[in-house]
Amino acid sequence: MTGTSPLRISRLTGEFLDPTMEQAYRAPLLPEQVRFTQRITLVGSLFYAAFLLIDYLHLGITGDLELRAVARVGLLLAGVGIAVRIGKVDTGGALDRWAALFVGLLFLSFYAVLFTHPPLAFTHASFFVVLGAIFIALPGDLWLALALGVAGSTAYLISLRLASDSLWRDLVPVSLLLLFANVFGTLVKRELSRMRREPFLALRSERRAKAALEKSEEDLQRLFMATPVALALTRVSDGRLFKANDAAYKLFGYRRNELPEYFSAHQLYVHPEQRSELIKNVIRHGHASDQELTLRCADGKVCDTIASAVRVRHAGEDCVMVGLVDISERKHLEESLRWLATTDPLTGLHNRHHFFNAAAKELARSRRSNRPLSVIMIDLDHFKTVNDRFGHDAGDEVLR
């Protein structure tokens, strides 16, 4: 059974399907939402109270005006108190509840105003403004806004019916407008929610990719430094050394703080043409393998290495990463074995094995060139007498 991806956005509400992801999205926005909701609450309360001047112009000093004054001023005081309380919330749920309470009180005050006098044109207009604000400006999820919008619209229709003694069929146009306002508000809030969350997803993905890249680079750097193989990163054009691991510094015989900021790998090559050949292969094939390089270390000692290299980009530069293995001991051992295989240890002369190898080559060359081949043989007469009379040690000295 597969779980819901936390990155998916609901097509119905425009919010994240995963509650944890939704909370992660809303948490950083809470301070700004608190300030915005405070401003909306205070400004809405002040404007609602300011409509008392319009009530006075239409009603004059009457009992209905006094009731409207109580309703409007009461909402103003409640709005100020709610705004103060909103400033102290620390969760999105608490903010939603206080905002919903203000909207509920606003609707109650609105209905009280309706019952005092048949609605005026601006009364309808102001209600639709409040209804739009619920969907666009009210924080919280879509379901809360829709519940408040439907409940407020239903109560508004009932209040109109009771306040004006209108027949229900007379309220059909208003009902259709309210239905359209709720549907349209729902669609707008859903799209706004989705559009606000998509940049969050993009930013989150970018941050995760950046963090993964940084983690990968850190791991590669640790691996680069810890590998026992000597690794050096140099620029293709001039051989400038950008970085090297501990094994490379040990091979070269340098300490990290001993090298100048600009150090060229050319200084390490005994035979510069070897680097030229290495770079040529890397440029041609993108890599080079098992190429022997002779390097001069910091103490002047020459070491034989076998190198593999690959072409890379570093800080926008065309570079080559070279891995080096010191084969000086192996080369020395190979020379020793070759000497033992072809040289008589007593006299230092070539032995029988070498003679037959050399003879086979010379015979082949003689046949190819159709020229004669001569062999000179030298024998020491009576050498056995030396061994018998003076011993083998004396005989060895004679041979030397």
Side-chain angles (χ1 to χ4, degrees):
M1 181 178 179
T2 58
T4 301
S5 171
L7 301 181
R8 288 187 58 190
I9 297 177
S10 171
R11 295 181 179 180
L12 185 61
T13 64
E15 300 165 357
F16 290 112
L17 292 172
D18 183 65
T20 304
M21 179 62 71
E22 181 66 21
Q23 178 63 27
Y25 164 75
R26 292 194 63 182
L29 301 176
L30 183 61
E32 180 60 31
Q33 286 184 337
V34 166
R35 290 190 291 269
F36 178 75
T37 307
Q38 277 185 306
R39 290 193 292 267
I40 288 293
T41 302
L42 290 173
V43 171
S45 301
L46 290 172
F47 269 98
Y48 186 76
F51 280 134
L52 188 59
L53 176 61
I54 300 177
D55 294 336
Y56 169 73
L57 295 177
H58 285 84
L59 301 177
I61 304 299
T62 61
D64 290 342
L65 179 64
E66 293 177 359
L67 291 176
R68 290 195 174 198
V70 172
R72 295 189 186 280
V73 174
L75 181 70
L76 174 61
L77 297 176
V80 172
I82 291 175
V84 173
R85 189 63 187 85
I86 286 176
K88 299 178 181 179
V89 301
D90 55 3
T91 64
L95 177 62
D96 294 344
R97 288 190 293 271
W98 283 107
L101 176 61
F102 173 74
V103 172
L105 293 176
L106 177 60
F107 280 150
L108 288 177
S109 178
F110 214 92
Y111 305 145
V113 170
L114 287 178
F115 279 118
T116 61
H117 193 274
L120 303 171
F122 78 88
T123 306
H124 291 305
S126 58
F127 181 82
F128 279 98
V129 170
V130 172
L131 192 60
I134 291 175
F135 288 101
I136 297 176
L138 186 70
D141 58 26
L142 178 65
W143 300 118
L144 175 61
L146 184 58
L148 290 172
V150 171
S153 299
T154 303
Y156 183 68
L157 285 173
I158 296 175
S159 300
L160 287 178
R161 173 69 175 84
L162 297 177
S164 60
D165 294 328
S166 300
L167 297 177
W168 283 111
R169 64 174 179 270
D170 299 330
L171 301 178
V172 169
V174 179
S175 302
L176 292 177
L177 286 174
L178 290 174
L179 177 61
F180 172 78
N182 280 276
V183 172
F184 183 76
T186 300
L187 295 176
V188 169
K189 187 172 182 65
R190 184 191 67 179
E191 287 304 306
L192 288 176
S193 297
R194 182 184 60 81
M195 292 171 61
R196 289 166 181 162
R197 283 159 178 77
E198 285 180 347
F200 170 79
L201 275 182
L203 180 60
R204 181 182 176 88
S205 299
E206 181 182 350
R207 288 176 176 173
R208 293 181 67 178
K210 183 178 179 181
L213 179 60
E214 291 176 351
K215 178 66 167 56
S216 177
E217 289 178 349
E218 290 176 0
D219 292 342
L220 287 176
Q221 179 66 16
R222 285 195 292 266
L223 180 63
F224 176 84
M225 297 304 298
T227 182
V229 177
L231 296 175
L233 180 68
T234 63
R235 188 159 54 194
V236 170
S237 60
D238 57 4
R240 179 182 179 181
L241 180 67
F242 281 124
K243 65 167 62 175
N245 65 355
D246 293 337
Y249 278 102
K250 182 178 179 180
L251 175 64
F252 302 151
Y254 289 98
R255 295 179 181 178
R256 286 189 172 274
N257 55 3
E258 289 180 343
L259 292 180
E261 181 180 356
Y262 187 94
F263 179 83
S264 175
H266 288 297
Q267 304 175 47
L268 299 173
Y269 287 85
V270 175
H271 308 293
E273 64 273 11
Q274 289 183 338
R275 183 179 189 274
S276 300
E277 184 66 21
L278 177 70
I279 296 300
K280 184 188 301 182
N281 291 332
V282 168
I283 293 176
R284 181 182 303 166
H285 306 293
H287 64 88
S289 301
D290 300 330
Q291 182 171 334
E292 290 193 11
L293 303 176
T294 305
L295 304 179
R296 180 174 286 107
C297 301
D299 57 1
K301 178 183 176 182
V302 174
C303 65
D304 295 302
T305 65
I306 189 166
S308 294
V310 63
R311 193 175 187 179
V312 297
R313 297 288 295 180
H314 173 74
E317 300 276 3
D318 191 15
C319 299
V320 58
M321 177 74 76
V322 183
L324 300 164
V325 176
D326 187 356
I327 59 171
S328 299
E329 292 186 5
R330 191 182 82 182
K331 296 281 286 187
H332 178 71
L333 179 60
E334 288 175 353
E335 290 296 327
S336 299
L337 292 175
R338 186 180 298 109
W339 186 87
L340 290 173
T342 60
T343 307
D344 178 64
L346 178 61
T347 62
L349 301 175
H350 292 308
N351 60 13
R352 178 181 178 183
H353 176 74
H354 181 271
F355 170 77
F356 281 111
N357 284 340
K361 293 178 181 179
E362 293 302 322
L363 283 171
R365 184 167 62 177
S366 175
R367 293 189 184 98
R368 288 194 305 270
S369 61
N370 196 25
R371 291 184 178 183
L373 177 67
S374 300
V375 177
I376 300 177
M377 178 177 173
I378 301 176
D379 188 21
L380 297 179
D381 292 335
H382 310 296
F383 183 72
K384 185 176 181 302
T385 303
V386 176
N387 285 335
D388 293 343
R389 184 175 181 180
F390 298 103
H392 287 282
D393 290 340
D396 290 346
E397 289 296 325
V398 172
L399 290 177
R400 292 191 185 97

